[in-house]
Amino acid sequence: MLYETAGRAEEILGLNIEDLDLAGRRAAVKAKGARAKTCRRGQAREDVVLETVYWDAGTARLLPRLLKGRTRGPVFVTHRRPGPGKVLGPRDVCPDTELARLSYGRARALLDAHTAMRGPGTGWDLHEFRHSALTHLGEAGASLLLLMAKSRHKKPENLRRYFQPSGEAIAEVTSLLAPGDAHT
């Protein structure tokens, strides 16, 4: 889901089942830096501006297995209930199973444990999925505007670090400048 949405790990881990549009393959997330909506008189409201992330077939196939018939609560949960001293908000506990939301730290540790080849701390990072997705989209020819829309970056210069085109990609775009009918 991180790869297909090119979303930030915090956004995806913060999803609730109620936030998912499974048929439309999309979800509303509270984005980085999202500000609370304001009323006419300047008073902050509880809700925030939401942005949409989109996924494709891979995530669509895996979500039902992950949800296991649950219809509400966090999408990503731990394998156990929170301890007696742990105080969590109602949004962070599945009301059906009483399992806690998967934290960023725990997700990072699980990913590292399952991808580390040379010992602990050498595995993948959660943010690498975002980098990879944007790099692959860029190399596939997605325009800067589409990359900005997919990643929800506001400034093009912040997106530049995610896109490192290969020599082949640069050669291919250079061929578009060839004189005559080379690109017809």
Side-chain angles (χ1 to χ4, degrees):
M1 189 172 211
L2 286 171
Y3 179 77
E4 287 187 0
T5 62
R8 294 174 182 88
E10 298 87 2
E11 296 170 345
I12 303 303
L13 291 172
L15 281 172
N16 272 9
I17 297 169
E18 302 89 335
D19 302 330
L20 303 176
D21 174 2
L22 295 173
R25 295 181 179 178
R26 68 186 82 200
V29 296
K30 178 184 171 188
K32 177 181 175 182
R35 296 192 174 139
K37 293 180 181 176
T38 55
C39 297
R40 275 192 232 171
R41 295 191 175 121
Q43 299 168 336
R45 297 187 335 205
E46 293 292 320
D47 53 346
V48 295
V49 176
L50 299 176
E51 295 179 348
T52 304
V53 293
Y54 300 86
W55 62 83
D56 201 29
T59 300
R61 277 193 306 271
L62 293 175
L63 273 175
R65 290 175 32 196
L66 176 69
L67 300 179
K68 298 178 185 169
R70 296 181 296 125
T71 58
R72 57 194 181 138
V75 172
F76 299 96
V77 293
T78 61
H79 65 285
R80 58 183 172 193
R81 294 185 174 118
K86 187 80 170 176
V87 179
L88 297 173
R91 183 170 161 80
D92 294 326
V93 178
C94 176
D96 299 328
T97 63
E98 297 181 10
L99 298 175
R101 181 181 305 280
L102 186 64
S103 69
Y104 183 91
R106 184 68 184 138
R108 184 179 59 199
L110 286 169
L111 182 62
D112 181 60
H114 287 88
T115 60
M117 298 289 208
R118 296 179 305 272
T122 62
W124 296 351
D125 183 71
L126 291 168
H127 199 67
E128 287 179 31
F129 289 102
R130 181 173 169 86
H131 286 260
S132 295
L134 295 172
T135 298
H136 294 155
L137 288 171
E139 287 188 346
S143 70
L144 178 60
L145 291 175
L146 279 175
L147 288 174
M148 288 179 68
K150 177 72 174 166
S151 65
R152 293 169 284 105
H153 278 94
K154 305 298 182 229
K155 299 177 184 173
E157 60 267 19
N158 293 341
L159 189 61
R160 184 181 310 175
R161 67 179 153 186
Y162 296 110
F163 182 55
Q164 299 295 323
S166 65
E168 292 83 20
I170 294 172
E172 185 176 329
V173 75
T174 303
S175 71
L176 297 174
L177 300 173
D181 61 352
H183 47 88
T184 57

